[in-house]
Amino acid sequence: MKKILILVIMVLALFGCSNDDSSELRIRLSNASKFNFQNITVNTSTGNVNFENVSSGQNTTYKIFAKAYSYAFVELEIDGKTYTLQPIDYVGETLLKKGNYTYEITANDSQERYGKLSLKLIKD
């Protein structure tokens, strides 16, 4: 009886400690620039997802996505001006597998709406 009890406890401990985050596709944003970002919208071809404001050097919380690619449409404001990262298309791209990812966004000193932002995918 003791052996069965020990076996049950070991199985529960083994499976109870598994991280269930891999059952969903979750993405957060990381602000790797010197600017603060406001009114952030991300679209990975399945609709807009709005993120909270994120200060320079900070991360947002994770949001759940139905599907996503290694890059995305991003629109945000810096000091009241709107900037956009606009992918042309996703032809030939592979969908991300379920798990946690970070879109690291940087912004240069350009004042061009479509030339200021860049994005890098990080697998968490």
Side-chain angles (χ1 to χ4, degrees):
M1 184 67 175
K2 280 186 178 180
K3 290 181 183 180
I4 293 175
L5 182 60
I6 291 172
L7 180 62
V8 169
I9 291 172
M10 288 176 53
V11 169
L12 288 174
L14 180 65
F15 290 106
C17 294
S18 66
N19 187 350
D20 194 39
D21 291 342
S22 63
S23 67
E24 299 174 316
L25 174 59
R26 298 172 4 128
I27 300 174
R28 68 179 177 175
L29 305 181
S30 174
N31 181 346
S33 77
K34 64 182 180 180
F35 305 100
N36 296 325
F37 299 158
Q38 298 87 31
N39 301 319
I40 308 163
T41 300
V42 175
N43 188 320
T44 61
S45 77
T46 59
N48 291 339
V49 176
N50 296 315
F51 282 86
E52 64 268 20
N53 298 341
V54 60
S55 299
S56 174
Q58 300 298 309
N59 297 328
T60 65
T61 58
Y62 286 98
K63 302 275 185 158
I64 297 171
F65 285 76
K67 67 178 183 176
Y69 299 91
S70 62
Y71 57 92
F73 169 90
V74 177
E75 190 166 78
L76 55 82
E77 292 180 11
I78 299 173
D79 297 328
K81 293 180 84 174
T82 301
Y83 297 95
T84 305
L85 181 62
Q86 176 71 56
I88 297 170
D89 61 38
Y90 299 103
V91 174
E93 292 296 318
T94 303
L95 288 169
L96 296 176
K97 295 180 180 174
K98 294 179 181 181
N100 294 335
Y101 297 87
T102 300
Y103 283 151
E104 182 181 80
I105 303 172
T106 57
N108 59 39
D109 289 325
S110 169
Q111 294 302 308
E112 297 293 321
R113 178 174 181 160
Y114 295 97
K116 188 171 187 85
L117 303 177
S118 61
L119 184 143
K120 175 177 142 183
L121 177 72
I122 300 169
K123 173 75 170 111
D124 297 337

